[in-house]
């Protein structure tokens, strides 16, 4: 079993009013739609790229280097 299978997962469905988005949330035996505020954190550097996730997300910001995950197969 992969470590992430027991946690909640999110999928972006649509941007709503400025600063919020509609997300599909699922995990375990539940699934629902939630409106969440956008992550307010911007990246370093001159372009100040914004994070494309929701506020208080648990993973890295979308502009950060991605850490490779261990394969769930094999």
């Amino acid at each position: 079993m992969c470590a992430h299978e027991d946690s909640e997962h999110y999928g972006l469905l649509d941007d709503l009013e400025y600063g919020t988005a509609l997300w599909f949330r699922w995990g375990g035996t539940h699934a629902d739609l939630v409106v969440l505020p956008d992550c307010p954190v911007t990246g370093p550097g001159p372009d100040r790229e914004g994070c494309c996730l929701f506020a208080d997300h648990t993973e890295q910001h979308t502009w950060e280097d991605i850490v490779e995950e261990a394969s769930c197969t094999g």
Side-chain angles (χ1 to χ4, degrees):
M1 176 188 313
C2 292
H4 71 274
E5 289 179 355
D6 294 331
S7 63
E8 289 186 331
H9 300 275
Y10 294 83
L12 177 64
L13 294 176
D14 196 14
D15 287 324
L16 300 177
E17 294 180 25
Y18 179 79
T20 61
L22 179 63
W23 292 83
F24 181 65
R25 175 176 59 189
W26 73 97
T29 60
H30 79 278
D32 58 353
L33 298 175
V34 291
V35 174
L36 298 172
D38 294 341
C39 180
V41 179
T42 57
D47 63 350
R48 306 286 296 163
E49 182 180 351
C51 180
C52 298
L53 298 174
F54 49 89
D56 300 323
H57 58 89
T58 59
E59 299 296 323
Q60 294 175 306
H61 299 290
T62 55
W63 43 261
E64 292 179 302
D65 291 335
I66 296 172
V67 175
E68 290 186 36
E69 289 186 16
S71 174
C72 292
T73 60

